Amino acid sequence: MSHLMGLAIESLVALLLVWTIIYCRMLNKRLKILKADEQSLKATISELITATEIAERAIGGLKVTVRECDENLGAQLSEASDLSGSLGKQIAVGSEILKRLCDIAVAARATSETAAPARADAKSVVAAAQAFAERRRGLAA
């Protein structure tokens, strides 16, 4: 009986040893898969780091471009504002000159209708033009 008991115990130990070997092989396969996944994960992380560096450089370039555009647009807007003010003043002066020219033309017509000779008409136009020129010089000074 003691031989049977020893044989049963040794058989049980052998069975457990076989089961342990099979389990170790399964674990070894899983570890190999994990190792392969680790390598692909490292490669993915490396690619992400490279992409991040490229993106950081691109962002830096965009910031510089934005700054340059802001400076250029600011200067152009300032210049446009100055030109707009200048044009407004010139339009006002032009309107005043046009009004005066209309007044001169009306006065010349009235004078030509009342004065018979054409020479008097020409003299009044010349006088009106000289008066206009003197007023213009007075405004410019």
Side-chain angles (χ1 to χ4, degrees):
M1 201 159 295
S2 71
H3 291 304
L4 264 168
M5 187 70 115
L7 186 61
I9 290 175
E10 286 195 27
S11 296
L12 185 62
V13 168
L15 185 65
L16 288 174
L17 201 63
V18 168
W19 184 76
T20 303
I21 291 171
I22 292 171
Y23 189 73
C24 285
R25 282 191 167 186
M26 283 183 1
L27 285 178
N28 191 30
K29 286 180 183 178
R30 287 183 184 174
L31 285 173
K32 284 181 182 179
I33 292 171
L34 284 175
K35 201 69 149 160
D37 287 346
E38 178 187 8
Q39 295 301 323
S40 67
L41 187 61
K42 283 182 180 179
T44 303
I45 289 171
S46 174
E47 289 173 8
L48 284 173
I49 289 171
T50 303
T52 303
E53 290 172 352
I54 291 170
E56 286 175 352
R57 283 192 296 255
I59 288 171
L62 287 174
K63 284 181 181 178
V64 169
T65 303
V66 166
R67 249 184 265 124
E68 289 174 356
C69 287
D70 187 39
E71 290 172 0
N72 289 340
L73 286 178
Q76 288 177 355
L77 282 174
S78 176
E79 185 178 342
S81 178
D82 293 344
L83 285 174
S84 174
S86 175
L87 284 175
K89 290 176 186 175
Q90 289 177 2
I91 288 172
V93 169
S95 295
E96 182 65 27
I97 291 171
L98 182 61
K99 182 179 177 251
R100 288 181 185 171
L101 284 173
C102 288
D103 290 344
I104 291 170
V106 168
R109 256 191 225 146
T111 306
S112 70
E113 288 174 1
T114 59
R119 288 184 186 171
D121 208 38
K123 288 181 182 178
S124 65
V125 170
V126 169
Q130 286 175 344
F132 173 74
E134 288 175 12
R135 284 189 209 157
R136 179 74 178 131
R137 283 188 207 125
L139 285 176

